[in-house]
Amino acid sequence: MQSFKLNKAEEEALYKKSIALNVELIKTGELPMTESKIMHEILKQTLIMGELELTRNGEIRVLSNTKN
């Protein structure tokens, strides 16, 4: 699988989160990140470094990752 499409709600959430993150990055003198870079970091921290759990209701839950 090479790509996937976000729905409108996911696009809006990613846009809002990227604005908030980039404001904080700029305040600390860092360069802003693209939405793509932010999405890759989210995927890395959840799918590669994180842990997922399947609930009894068949829902996927992302467990808190306290390791850096």
Side-chain angles (χ1 to χ4, degrees):
M1 181 173 167
Q2 291 293 320
S3 64
F4 60 92
K5 183 152 176 67
L6 300 175
N7 65 36
K8 290 289 183 191
E10 293 164 341
E11 285 179 9
E12 183 69 21
L14 179 59
Y15 173 76
K16 287 179 179 179
K17 187 57 72 176
S18 67
I19 296 296
L21 289 170
N22 282 326
V23 164
E24 293 303 315
L25 284 169
I26 291 168
K27 283 181 184 177
T28 62
E30 300 291 328
L31 293 174
M33 286 193 238
T34 64
E35 288 180 9
S36 177
K37 174 78 171 157
I38 292 168
M39 196 67 218
H40 281 285
E41 187 61 29
I42 291 168
L43 291 170
K44 180 178 100 177
Q45 289 189 30
T46 56
L47 298 178
I48 298 170
M49 298 170 23
E51 196 172 331
L52 301 174
E53 170 184 87
L54 188 62
T55 68
R56 289 183 177 184
N57 299 335
E59 297 174 347
I60 297 172
R61 178 176 293 150
V62 177
L63 301 177
S64 179
N65 183 0
T66 57
K67 303 175 223 163
N68 282 335

